[in-house]
Amino acid sequence: MPTIHQAVLIPGDGIGPAVSAAVLKILKAANAPVAFHEHHAGIAALEAGGEVLPQSTIDAVREHHVALKGPCTTPVGKGFTSVNVQLRKKLDLYAAIRPVRSLPGVPTRYEDVDLVIFRENTEGLYAGVENEITSGVVTSLKIATRTACTRIAEQAFKYAKKRGRKKVTVFHKANILKLSDGLFLDCVKEVHESEFSEIPYETQIIDAGCMKLVQDPTQFDLLLMENLYGDVISDLTAGLVGGLGVVPGSNIGVEDSIFEAVHGSAPDIAGQGIANPLALLMSGVMMLNHLAETRKDDRCLKAANAIKNAYNQALQDNQKTRDLGGTLGTDAFADAVIERLA
Ligand code: NAI
């Protein structure tokens, strides 16, 4: 009996359950050999009567090692700590990898964007160490460790080498943050010089980097940076290829991996049936490719390729959700992809 891979599904909040349901339908139609165990996190977990990040959800990811996750809401300026950040830290998912590519049938200012963001996923200002020293004075601690800076650099260069990426660019602010971003830069330089000197490598102060990105994103290839910069640059680059509805991501650790879209829970459109499920679907394709590679299973590769071809064809046939200028709802777009599965 061929193996069915076990994975965790965290539907999330807001548009999360709707886009998750659409993606599951497509994965099933593509005969992806994966069985999902559903667990909650975020507001959904609170509403189910549990903790915001139940231990059972963390344990399930540790048991099955792979999860597909919808977005989880985080209250602004008060309330609980982001469960997204907590999951990444608790499971040590230190590398966020986010491919940002132009899509057929999705016209944007640039036709040939092909970037990959490598975001350090466990420290920086996202360590969440904040204090009110006295009324009206707060501090937020930015943490950088040699271990975390070095391992994200190693992953980025390994990826660049394996995938034949043209260049690695580090975005930083070490002119101001001389110690923390300075350490990040030192670690990347060491990794480059010791193991990957054949890969073209450059550094770029992030403010000027942002200008260059929007002027001509094709001058960049793999972008490597610390946590907060990676968060912001992910959304900026999403805007270059059609928006948050089309950018997937993975959070990779040594043992476990969680695949999720770059976008959030989109409360402004939640419950309307209009969210684009493509970013989560593309994250599902990344999950299948990960399973194909780590578990040597060609069925996963086959399903991943079939889904990719089907959504590209759907977009080319002008089957699009509203965020891309189309008229389809979440389910209708999923059906359009399923109709095109070979
Ligand atoms: P957001 O990404 O949820 O939405 C930004 C804009 O993009 C909104 O106008 C939204 O309608 C649109 N959008 C996002 N995804 C879309 C999709 N699939 N289809 C069509 N339109 C889409 O960012 P926002 O509003 O800043 O954050 C909302 C909540 O999500 C917050 O609580 C935030 O903390 C959380 N969040 C969670 C993330 C995660 O779970 N990994 C990542 C980012 C934000």
Side-chain angles (χ1 to χ4, degrees):
M1 177 98 173
T3 313
I4 300 293
H5 305 287
Q6 308 297 306
V8 175
L9 175 74
I10 303 172
D13 302 319
I15 62 171
V19 292
S20 300
V23 170
L24 249 52
K25 200 167 137 186
I26 297 167
L27 291 180
K28 191 166 177 221
N31 295 319
V34 184
F36 286 96
H37 304 262
E38 192 169 318
H39 287 267
H40 290 300
I43 307 278
L46 288 179
E47 285 173 356
E51 301 280 314
V52 68
L53 180 53
Q55 186 60 40
S56 53
T57 300
I58 298 167
D59 291 344
V61 182
R62 287 202 174 115
E63 181 184 351
H64 301 301
H65 302 300
V66 172
L68 185 65
K69 175 184 165 297
C72 293
T73 298
T74 310
V76 174
K78 57 181 170 27
F80 58 81
T81 313
S82 162
V83 298
N84 311 307
V85 173
Q86 282 191 63
L87 270 170
R88 294 166 195 162
K89 285 205 287 199
K90 282 181 193 290
L91 296 164
D92 201 20
L93 308 177
Y94 64 91
I97 307 171
R98 296 167 163 187
V100 183
R101 293 197 187 98
S102 301
L103 286 164
V106 182
T108 54
R109 186 180 296 265
Y110 307 101
E111 282 175 4
D112 42 8
V113 178
D114 181 6
L115 300 165
V116 188
I117 315 284
F118 262 73
R119 166 186 176 186
E120 199 293 317
N121 224 11
T122 58
E123 48 184 42
L125 281 165
Y126 282 63
V129 184
E130 295 194 303
N131 282 301
E132 184 169 23
I133 305 289
T134 182
S135 178
V137 182
V138 297
T139 59
S140 301
L141 200 64
K142 173 160 170 159
I143 297 183
T145 63
R146 182 168 286 282
T147 305
C149 298
T150 301
R151 66 184 179 172
I152 187 70
E154 283 170 350
Q155 280 309 313
F157 280 112
K158 260 188 212 161
Y159 181 102
K161 186 172 180 173
K162 191 165 169 194
R163 313 246 174 164
R165 305 299 305 199
K166 294 190 294 287
K167 176 170 77 170
V168 171
T169 305
V170 176
F171 275 13
H172 69 90
K173 195 73 193 174
N175 48 331
I176 306 297
L177 299 166
K178 293 177 196 297
L179 291 185
S180 53
D181 282 16
L183 177 63
F184 194 88
L185 275 186
D186 285 349
C187 293
V188 181
K189 187 164 175 262
E190 273 168 33
V191 170
H192 178 246
E193 284 175 358
S194 64
E195 292 177 70
F196 300 97
S197 56
E198 76 281 10
I199 299 174
Y201 162 66
E202 65 181 10
T203 64
Q204 176 71 67
I205 295 178
I206 190 164
D207 33 351
C210 285
M211 181 211 56
K212 290 184 181 178
L213 258 180
V214 295
Q215 268 185 336
D216 177 14
T218 62
Q219 66 191 292
F220 295 109
D221 192 296
L222 189 155
L223 296 171
L224 167 63
M225 61 205 85
E226 62 87 81
N227 210 338
L228 175 62
Y229 306 154
D231 191 6
V232 176
I233 295 293
S234 298
D235 279 36
L236 184 153
T237 51
L240 300 171
V241 296
L244 284 164
V246 298
V247 179
S250 58
N251 303 287
I252 305 287
V254 176
E255 298 281 336
D256 309 313
S257 305
I258 295 184
F259 296 80
E260 65 178 335
V262 168
H263 66 70
S265 55
D268 55 338
I269 57 166
Q272 297 176 35
I274 59 172
N276 189 349
L278 188 48
L280 188 65
L281 180 61
M282 293 163 122
S283 309
V285 166
M286 289 178 80
M287 185 193 78
L288 288 172
N289 283 326
H290 173 82
L291 287 170
E293 193 178 321
T294 54
R295 309 208 183 155
K296 312 271 177 269
D297 187 344
D298 282 347
R299 295 169 307 160
C300 293
L301 190 61
K302 198 171 156 214
N305 288 338
I307 294 170
K308 196 172 165 192
N309 290 337
Y311 69 63
N312 280 335
Q313 191 57 55
L315 294 172
Q316 267 165 332
D317 295 344
N318 210 21
Q319 300 294 302
K320 295 183 219 166
T321 45
R322 292 191 205 180
D323 54 312
L324 300 180
T327 55
L328 298 185
T330 310
D331 295 337
F333 178 74
D335 290 340
V337 174
I338 290 169
E339 277 166 26
R340 287 161 179 80
L341 283 169

